[in-house]
Amino acid sequence: MSTTTHGLSWSALPKAAQLYVAAVIAAGIYVTGVFFPATYPEPILFVFLLVVSCVTSTWKVTLPISVAGESTLSVSYAAHIMALLLLGPRHALIIAMAGAWAQCTLNVKGRYPAYCTVFSMAGEVLTMAATGLAYVSLGGSIGAINLDALPKPLVG
C-alpha cells in the first residue's frame, strides 16, 4: 500500500467545508449513539453480514468524478440492505459503518486523511438511519420477509 494521502488536509479545506464535515461527523456520532443496538439476537448472522460488508467494501469501482483524488463506490450495499431486512435498522447501521471504514482503510492505493474516513462512516450511518426509518415507516418487516409486502418499503 502506498503511503500517499488522498484529498486535502483538514487545514486546506475552506471554513465552510470544515463546518459541513464537522456537522456530518457530529450528526453521525449522535445517531450512532441513539440507535446503537443494545442486543444482538442473531450474533452469527450479524458477524457474517459484518464480514461480508467489510470484504465487499474492498471491491471498489473508481468513479471518474474526483477533484482532489480518487472517489470509489463499493459493492457492499447488498450486505447493508440484507442486514436491514434480516436484522433491522440498528444492526444495519453498525454494519454499514464498518463497511465504510473498510472501504476507506483496506485495499486502498493511499491513506485517506482521518477526517475523510470518519466523514464517510458518519455519512453511511446517516444514510442507513434514513433508509431504515423509511423502510420501517412504510411497513417493512424485520427477519421474516413477507414477499407480498416487501416492494413498497424496499423501494421507499
Side-chain angles (χ1 to χ4, degrees):
M1 179 167 76
S2 169
T3 58
T4 61
T5 301
H6 293 291
L8 297 171
S9 68
W10 178 258
S11 60
L13 289 177
K15 263 305 183 221
Q18 288 179 350
L19 289 172
Y20 175 74
V21 169
V24 169
I25 290 171
I29 291 169
Y30 175 78
V31 169
T32 300
V34 169
F35 292 104
F36 198 86
T39 62
Y40 295 84
E42 299 282 346
I44 293 171
L45 180 59
F46 176 81
V47 170
F48 173 76
L49 289 171
L50 185 74
V51 170
V52 168
S53 175
C54 289
V55 168
T56 57
S57 289
T58 66
W59 304 341
K60 301 169 189 159
V61 177
T62 301
L63 302 174
I65 58 172
S66 178
V67 174
E70 287 187 3
S71 294
T72 60
L73 178 67
S74 80
V75 296
S76 64
Y77 294 109
H80 303 170
I81 296 300
M82 190 59 68
L84 175 63
L85 297 174
L86 297 176
L87 298 172
R90 291 175 182 266
H91 297 91
L93 184 138
I94 302 304
I95 289 168
M97 183 171 58
W101 172 84
Q103 182 177 0
C104 293
T105 58
L106 305 175
N107 193 26
V108 294
K109 294 180 181 175
R111 287 181 299 149
Y112 290 90
Y115 78 86
C116 289
T117 300
V118 176
F119 176 82
S120 293
M121 293 169 66
E124 281 294 324
V125 163
L126 298 175
T127 299
M128 186 50 70
T131 302
L133 179 63
Y135 178 75
V136 171
S137 295
L138 292 170
S141 63
I142 308 302
I145 298 173
N146 178 352
L147 293 178
D148 293 333
L150 185 61
K152 179 181 176 184
L154 190 57
V155 170

